[in-house]
Amino acid sequence: MGHEKTLTALAAALAGASYVYGAGMTESGVTFDPAVLVMDDEWIAMIRHFLGGINVNRETLGGADIAAVGPFGDFLSLPSTYAHMREQSQPRIMDRRVREEWESDGATDMYARARVRACEIIESHEREPLDEEARRRMRAVVERADKERGS
Amino acid sequence: MTPALRLEVLSAGDLDAIHAETLQVLEETGVFVEDDEALDIFADGGASIDRETGMVRIPGEVVEAAIAGCPQDDDGPVRFCNFDEGVMYVDPRSGERRDPTKADAGDAARLVDALRNIDSYGAAVRPTDVPAATAAVHGCEAALLNTSKGVGAEATSGWEVRVCAELGACIAGSLDALRDDAVVGFGTCPVSPLQLPRDATEVIVECARLGLSDTILSMAMAGASAPVTLAGALVAHNAEVLSGITLAQLTERGAPVVYGSSTTAMDLRYAAASVGSPEMALIGAAAAQIARRYKLPSCIAGA
């Protein structure tokens, strides 16, 4: 599952693959599971974040901030912390909170949360509009194919 | 990706050795080709054909010319795609694992459309509530109706390629526009070891003629359908993929192809493919490196 997919996807991505495929798959490719697809989307977000690497320059090295805070202080309210906070990885399905907060929210496992999210998307998401003419032509192509070979 | 993050599991010398061994396999052992038209194309392209056995032996220079004739990879950032093609489906509403329907294919495509990190859709399931002979066509329709991302169709014949291409053309505007827009692409799996069955060659030939992208992807299993050593598995895998790429280029020079790998090891204790294993990670990384050596785009099993 997650750790296996991270191993294989990260290795392929680091080696320069153009496409990495497999999201949503379980049982070595027998079964497609929408909840697994939602979880895999999240592993991929983390992999993409990792592939972004570490940006090293004068500003990011942070010497001025380190000098300003010194020992015993903290970096929480510095302008640079605000400026960069949205660059952090932000998983939706994984839960990084402390145990007590997770328990008070029902102590659900990741698969259960991903399944709920998959159902929400299936029920609410709409593809960008496709014109009626294209739909009609596609229907005609499928009906003709059924007539030719579908019996 | 920054150059500092680049992973190399094979040295330049390793890559040369795998390439040379692959050419020797293709030239001396050859591959089995089932279909007469594909045999004709190989014969016209300079391969030696045994009509009795269906074996095709391809000179190294023919293979190398084919590789050089492929459109080069754009070397862009990695893209991610869902798995294709599952024979079972887990219904997220009920949790039930069951035979997939056309509606399920639409739901899977809608999910891919919504999920930010999945860049294109591959036929996630083969619908079982439509005629079996047109299941790929119905699956393609369901996908195109539910996602505006690129759609991979699971065609298993030249006819299915043409029909799915027509579906894509309904959206792109024409078959010519389909080539540029990448609305629909295809995939082909040789059978390991060293076989190009009729369904594979029909898809390769038809995609090449239409100028549509075809991912030629081997799924060899080290220890079962390929040598147990990872280097040996890569040679057998590479021979299979390159035989398909050569057929595409002999059909139409410049046909867009993608170098694919779902090759892994068989866990010899259980006679089961070990997907998600360190072996698969090494093979996938190596296959991506081999594709880069050939300047080809690659599609690697992993996510």
Side-chain angles (χ1 to χ4, degrees), chain B residues 2-255:
Chain B
T2 75
L5 270 171
R6 182 73 75 192
L7 172 71
E8 290 185 354
V9 296
L10 298 172
S11 68
D14 295 339
L15 284 165
D16 287 344
I18 287 169
H19 178 67
E21 194 91 348
T22 303
L23 292 190
Q24 197 180 337
V25 168
L26 287 171
E27 195 162 324
E28 291 173 12
T29 308
V31 291
F32 167 77
V33 176
E34 185 179 16
D35 183 67
D36 283 332
E37 189 189 15
L39 285 168
D40 292 340
I41 294 169
F42 272 120
D44 291 345
S48 106
I49 306 297
D50 185 332
R51 296 265 173 193
E52 294 268 295
T53 61
M55 289 306 289
V56 172
R57 293 177 180 84
I58 318 169
E61 59 268 25
V62 172
V63 177
E64 290 190 320
I67 296 167
C70 297
Q72 291 195 0
D73 181 34
D74 62 5
D75 211 17
V78 60
R79 286 153 284 186
F80 292 87
C81 178
N82 68 284
F83 177 77
D84 60 333
E85 165 180 67
V87 295
M88 298 297 284
Y89 179 78
V90 177
D91 186 334
R93 298 174 189 88
S94 64
E96 183 197 1
R97 180 177 176 273
R98 55 167 173 72
D99 292 332
T101 65
K102 185 173 182 177
D104 298 336
D107 286 350
R110 198 169 326 144
L111 274 163
V112 165
D113 197 58
L115 292 170
R116 208 181 299 169
N117 293 294
I118 313 292
D119 302 304
S120 59
Y121 174 80
V125 291
R126 176 164 291 254
T128 56
D129 58 341
V130 295
T134 53
V137 173
H138 282 275
C140 187
E141 183 196 25
L144 291 168
L145 289 173
N146 284 283
T147 182
S148 58
K149 294 180 179 175
V151 167
E154 275 289 328
T156 53
S157 69
W159 179 80
E160 278 184 324
V161 171
R162 286 191 295 279
V163 177
C164 291
E166 274 184 65
L167 284 177
C170 292
I171 292 176
S174 67
L175 274 176
D176 282 335
L178 190 58
R179 281 182 208 113
D180 303 327
D181 287 3
V183 174
V184 174
F186 296 88
T188 310
C189 296
V191 172
S192 305
L194 303 177
Q195 299 166 53
L196 289 175
R198 179 166 293 114
D199 60 302
T201 55
E202 277 196 17
V203 172
I204 291 169
V205 169
E206 198 60 38
C207 284
R209 285 185 178 144
L210 293 171
L212 296 174
S213 170
D214 189 20
T215 298
I216 299 170
L217 180 144
S218 226
M219 17 196 14
M221 280 190 286
S225 57
V228 71
T229 58
L230 299 192
L234 282 166
V235 169
H237 165 94
N238 198 33
E240 290 158 8
V241 174
L242 289 185
S243 70
I245 287 175
T246 301
L247 176 62
Q249 299 308 314
L250 292 179
T251 304
E252 195 67 50
R253 187 53 52 122

Side-chain angles (χ1 to χ4, degrees), chain A residues 127-142:
Chain A
R127 177 203 199 283
E128 74 177 36
L130 191 60
D131 72 77
E132 207 37 59
E133 176 63 16
R135 286 173 185 271
R136 203 187 50 72
R137 283 199 306 250
M138 282 167 57
R139 198 82 278 279
V141 170
V142 175

Side-chain angles (χ1 to χ4, degrees), chain A residues 70-141:
Chain A
F72 310 115
D74 70 64
F75 295 76
L76 287 168
S77 57
L78 288 188
S80 62
T81 304
Y82 282 107
H84 290 283
M85 64 186 282
R86 292 189 198 289
E87 296 165 15
Q88 292 193 322
S89 63
Q90 295 181 336
R92 290 182 64 143
I93 308 293
M94 278 210 324
D95 194 338
R96 287 174 173 169
R97 298 174 303 167
V98 296
R99 185 178 186 96
E100 289 71 21
E101 288 178 46
W102 167 71
E103 281 174 345
S104 70
D105 269 357
T108 55
D109 65 29
M110 175 146 174
Y111 183 85
R113 294 192 296 275
R115 198 176 134 189
V116 168
R117 179 83 190 116
C119 289
E120 283 169 6
I121 292 171
I122 288 169
E123 270 147 40
S124 66
H125 181 75
E126 292 283 343
R127 177 203 199 283
E128 74 177 36
L130 191 60
D131 72 77
E132 207 37 59
E133 176 63 16
R135 286 173 185 271
R136 203 187 50 72
R137 283 199 306 250
M138 282 167 57
R139 198 82 278 279
V141 170

